[in-house]
Amino acid sequence: MKKFTIWLLVIIAIILIAWFSFYHKKADEQAVLPPAPESITGCYVAHLAQDVYTLHVNSQDLDMFSGTLAYDNFEKDSSHGTFSGT
């Protein structure tokens, strides 16, 4: 009976060690992977009241981007231009 108890404790210890090892390995793998960069290139349009704002993001390089921005204000002068930023 004493040998059975010792073997049972050894088996339980092995199972627990394997489980903790797997759990920590999986958590480490998730922490190591960098987030995938998302592209923001495209056209964005906002309609606020009767005004229209249009943003074209033409290029993106890491955290730098550039494009054009146009304001089409209702019954007022509109404006447009290029931009670059982070």
Side-chain angles (χ1 to χ4, degrees):
M1 182 70 177
K2 194 172 189 181
K3 285 185 177 181
F4 175 75
T5 305
I6 292 173
W7 279 107
L8 183 62
L9 289 175
V10 168
I11 291 172
I12 291 173
I14 291 172
I15 290 171
L16 288 175
I17 290 170
W19 183 76
F20 281 117
S21 171
F22 175 76
Y23 176 75
H24 288 294
K25 181 179 178 184
K26 191 161 183 85
D28 290 342
E29 287 175 356
Q30 291 175 352
V32 170
L33 297 176
E38 295 183 23
S39 175
I40 61 168
T41 58
C43 181
Y44 301 88
V45 178
H47 294 272
L48 303 173
Q50 294 180 343
D51 301 334
V52 179
Y53 305 98
T54 307
L55 170 67
H56 291 274
V57 179
N58 299 329
S59 67
Q60 177 185 5
D61 182 26
L62 298 176
D63 62 344
M64 299 291 295
F65 61 94
S66 63
T68 59
L69 179 62
Y71 299 96
D72 187 12
N73 299 315
F74 181 72
E75 295 182 347
K76 295 182 183 175
D77 290 339
S78 298
S79 60
H80 63 281
T82 60
F83 71 91
S84 62
T86 57

